[in-house]
Amino acid sequence: AQTVTQSQPEMSVQEAETVTLSCTYDTSENNYYLFWYKQPPSRQMILVIRQEAYKQQNATENRFSVNFQKAAKSFSLKISDSQLGDTAMYFCAFMKHSASGSRLTFGEGTQLTVNP
Amino acid sequence: KAGVTQTPRYLIKTRGQQVTLSCSPISGHRSVSWYQQTPGQGLQFLFEYFSETQRNKGNFPGRFSGRQFSNSRSEMNVSTLELGDSALYLCASSFGLAGPNQETQYFGPGTRLLVL
């Protein structure tokens, strides 16, 4: 079974600064995907970024980028130029690649607060 | 393209009752997954449906069941409600086929269930 661990329950950052959220996972699989989702106070779960395990290049989406270390089973999210709207709970999630169905395994979440 | 929709958004039930939640996936998506989110247990996978068949199942009792219709809409049913079933129930849709774009899940706004 896969496990995902987010060791930072809460973090805060000043507007316009950079913050990094940590995530580690445990799996014996070789083909999988990793995701970061954010959940603002509205509770809507929003996809932030996706990383395919077979890709060595780190994924980026505008101000969001990841540092994917496959051997270390580490998957951190860097948010640059933080904005007030980035305030949310951030979840790291693992999905095994499978043609017969998929499920997300989530970490405990990190509550990020962006201060003005 | 419209996102994932869930109805109702809020629900109050009493112990022993049953409840049915509905989820309409993004157009073209054939896979619908259900998750339960609680403060104590976090986000847990319930089940996944693809082409009207349950393809994956999490570790929940038989009181939790679901189905999927030919238009890919899905319903989740919880019978004999318990206080511990109070949670945010999220559904997510994807194309359901192999590949990163096919398997990425997009979430609906959730249904908040309160059991009294």
Side-chain angles (χ1 to χ4, degrees):
Chain A
Q2 287 73 230
T3 60
V4 178
T5 301
Q6 295 178 247
S7 58
Q8 306 152 313
E10 296 180 0
M11 292 191 71
S12 63
V13 64
Q14 292 299 121
E15 200 174 4
E17 294 188 345
T18 296
V19 63
T20 299
L21 280 54
S22 301
C23 172
T24 58
Y25 59 95
D26 188 26
T27 184
S28 58
E29 301 291 334
N30 194 46
N31 290 325
Y32 52 88
Y33 310 113
L34 293 165
F35 302 86
W36 281 97
Y37 285 89
K38 65 182 272 189
Q39 189 177 42
S42 68
R43 309 299 298 277
Q44 170 83 52
M45 193 76 78
I46 301 165
L47 175 67
V48 175
I49 199 164
R50 179 188 71 211
Q51 175 76 44
E52 292 92 62
Y54 57 82
K55 287 189 176 180
Q56 291 187 336
Q57 187 173 5
N58 289 323
T60 62
E61 286 287 343
N62 301 312
R63 299 183 294 106
F64 300 87
S65 61
V66 299
N67 183 2
F68 174 49
Q69 302 290 327
K70 190 173 184 179
K73 295 180 182 175
S74 169
F75 182 60
S76 61
L77 174 70
K78 185 172 83 170
I79 306 174
S80 304
D81 186 25
S82 297
Q83 301 175 1
L84 296 178
D86 295 334
T87 292
M89 182 73 85
Y90 285 79
F91 291 97
C92 177
F94 173 100
M95 178 188 287
K96 181 178 71 171
H97 169 67
S98 171
S100 60
S102 55
R103 69 174 72 181
L104 287 163
T105 300
F106 288 91
E108 307 91 334
T110 297
Q111 175 63 51
L112 175 68
T113 302
V114 180
N115 299 307
Chain B
K1 192 184 263 191
V4 179
T5 59
Q6 291 186 244
T7 57
R9 295 293 310 279
Y10 304 91
L11 210 48
I12 299 175
K13 291 286 188 179
T14 56
R15 277 181 298 173
Q17 288 186 309
Q18 74 165 15
V19 67
T20 299
L21 312 181
S22 180
C23 173
S24 293
I26 292 171
S27 178
H29 285 190
R30 294 165 61 192
S31 168
V32 173
S33 297
W34 289 88
Y35 296 86
Q36 182 196 63
Q37 185 176 24
T38 61
Q41 299 297 317
L43 282 149
Q44 294 185 287
F45 172 78
L46 281 153
F47 31 65
E48 180 207 8
Y49 284 86
F50 177 78
S51 291
E52 302 180 64
T53 301
Q54 187 181 85
R55 190 163 69 167
N56 252 315
K57 189 177 188 304
N59 295 324
F60 278 81
R63 300 186 296 107
F64 292 82
S65 63
R67 59 177 175 169
Q68 187 179 35
F69 302 94
S70 58
N71 62 357
S72 296
R73 188 178 70 86
S74 176
E75 288 182 348
M76 188 191 103
N77 185 273
V78 187
S79 63
T80 318
L81 283 166
E82 301 177 359
L83 295 179
D85 297 332
S86 294
L88 179 68
Y89 290 88
L90 294 164
C91 84
S93 75
S94 72
F95 289 107
L97 302 174
N101 291 327
Q102 306 294 319
E103 296 179 81
T104 297
Q105 296 185 4
Y106 297 89
F107 284 81
T111 294
R112 290 198 201 191
L113 172 63
L114 177 61
V115 181
L116 301 176

